[in-house]
Amino acid sequence: MADLECGFANPTLLQMHGPTISVRVGFDPDFLPDGGPPSLPDSSVPSLIDTGASISCIDSQLAEELTLPIIGRAAVAGAHGPGEVNEYLAHIYVPVLGIMIHGRFNGVHLRAGGQPHDVLLGRTFLQRVTLHYEGTTGRVVVSA
C-alpha cells in the first residue's frame, strides 16, 4: 500500500489550499487498461482532492493546451449556479499511488477563476483510496 502526504505544515495552510497532489494529465489513444500506465506528458500539474466534487474535472484551459478530445457538453452546477461545459476524454495519472483514472472529465474554469489547481480529484478518485484528514494539524495522507 502506497501513502502520499498531501497536506501542509499547519492547519491554516491546509484550510487555505486544501489537500494537493501532483498528477499527470493527457490522452493516450493507444492506452490499454491492463497494459501499464498511459503515455502522457512528463510534466505534473497541481490537483486538489475535492471531497465535494462528485466527479473529477480538468481545467478547461489546460485541456485546450493538451488538445484533449472534446466528446460532448455537460450541465454543471456550483457555487455560482448552473452552467454548461465541454467534456473531454482524458487520462489522469497519480504516479506516486499508481492510480490512473480515464474517461470523461468536465472542463471547468479553475485558472480563469484564480484557482492554483489544474485538476479537481472528486469522488471518482476517492472511491479508490483512503483519505486521512487531520484538520487540527494540517496533515493529510492518501493511501492506495
Side-chain angles (χ1 to χ4, degrees), residues 95-111:
V96 175
L97 298 176
I99 293 176
M100 203 277 303
I101 306 168
H102 60 97
R104 296 174 173 259
F105 297 92
N106 289 345
V108 295
H109 309 296
L110 300 171
R111 291 180 184 175

Side-chain angles (χ1 to χ4, degrees), residues 37-85:
S39 177
L40 301 176
D42 289 331
S43 59
S44 295
V45 298
S47 176
L48 173 68
I49 298 175
D50 186 351
T51 61
S54 58
I55 62 172
S56 297
C57 303
I58 297 172
D59 177 72
S60 58
Q61 185 179 339
L62 175 64
E64 290 175 17
E65 289 170 7
L66 295 172
T67 62
L68 298 178
I70 297 172
I71 56 173
R73 298 280 290 165
V76 297
H80 295 289
E84 192 173 274
V85 297

Side-chain angles (χ1 to χ4, degrees), residues 88-139:
Y88 294 94
L89 189 58
H91 298 101
I92 297 175
Y93 183 59
V94 185
V96 175
L97 298 176
I99 293 176
M100 203 277 303
I101 306 168
H102 60 97
R104 296 174 173 259
F105 297 92
N106 289 345
V108 295
H109 309 296
L110 300 171
R111 291 180 184 175
Q115 298 296 318
H117 301 98
D118 284 320
V119 171
L120 297 179
L121 291 175
R123 294 188 294 267
T124 51
F125 166 76
L126 288 166
Q127 70 185 5
R128 302 165 186 233
V129 301
T130 299
L131 177 68
H132 183 85
Y133 188 104
E134 295 178 18
T136 57
T137 65
R139 184 171 188 256

